Amino acid sequence: MGECIFCQIAADELPSHRVYEAEDVIAFLDVNPLANGHTLVVPREHHERLQECPESTAIALWSAVTELVPAIEAAVDADATNIGINNGSAAGQEISHSHVHIVPRFEGDGGRPIHAVAGRRPDLDDDDLEAIGEAINQHLK
Ligand code: 5GP
Ligand code: ZN
């Protein structure tokens, strides 16, 4: 994936402010941060979507996030964090190399919760929820 910016950062072909390194995962500061300490946690291997990552990479990714969150909060004196993935272009993914955003949050910072990312809320009754739950269950089998 020669053209991928995050592959190039992982290979040290492009600079970054790296804050974490493990066998399968690195983390570095977002170049255009939403808040002080906004960090991207990135698998070294190129996978476009989370569901394309091997299970071992997904585990390493979440392990890195769990380790990084308290360190980032302490470093920038944050009150909280939002943690999220833009998983696909319709969800706002701009870099086609899957990554987790850790965005520090501060009391009164004017930001919104993760509930604010989607469009209009659908009007669903209990039968609708039952059918959707069943469909998801079928796809897991
Ligand atoms: P996405 O929409 O793909 O989830 O977010 C991509 C993120 O990568 C954006 O927040 C953007 O600021 C960040 N980004 C884009 N290019 C670079 C880069 O070259 N270096 C770093 N450190 N971050 C980048
Ligand atoms: Zn890549």
Side-chain angles (χ1 to χ4, degrees):
M1 296 291 163
E3 297 305 305
C4 171
I5 291 171
F6 287 0
C7 280
Q8 291 175 68
I9 289 175
D12 279 328
E13 293 164 9
L14 282 177
S16 70
H17 295 280
R18 202 176 278 209
V19 299
Y20 177 94
E21 303 220 34
E23 197 177 333
D24 295 331
V25 174
I26 60 170
F28 48 85
L29 298 182
D30 195 297
V31 78
N32 189 18
L34 295 169
N36 283 353
H38 181 174
T39 298
L40 304 174
V41 191
V42 182
R44 289 183 188 271
E45 259 184 31
H46 186 95
H47 301 285
E48 184 160 351
R49 303 274 296 262
L50 180 67
Q51 55 267 51
E52 290 151 16
C53 292
E55 187 180 3
S56 59
T57 303
I59 291 167
L61 200 56
W62 199 248
S63 169
V65 169
T66 306
E67 193 175 341
L68 278 159
V69 161
I72 294 166
E73 288 188 1
V76 299
D77 202 21
D79 299 305
T81 34
N82 286 119
I83 298 154
I85 300 175
N86 294 324
N87 196 39
S89 60
Q93 183 174 2
E94 291 171 356
I95 303 280
S96 64
H97 182 136
S98 189
H99 53 280
V100 180
H101 292 257
I102 302 175
V103 182
R105 296 296 304 274
F106 304 86
E107 291 294 345
D109 65 11
R112 308 277 306 276
I114 213 139
H115 310 87
V117 298
R120 279 184 304 281
R121 283 186 191 242
D123 186 17
L124 301 175
D125 64 21
D126 207 48
D127 288 345
D128 297 324
L129 295 177
E130 177 72 23
I132 293 165
E134 182 61 29
I136 293 170
N137 209 261
Q138 290 299 321
H139 281 281
L140 283 171
K141 286 173 184 162

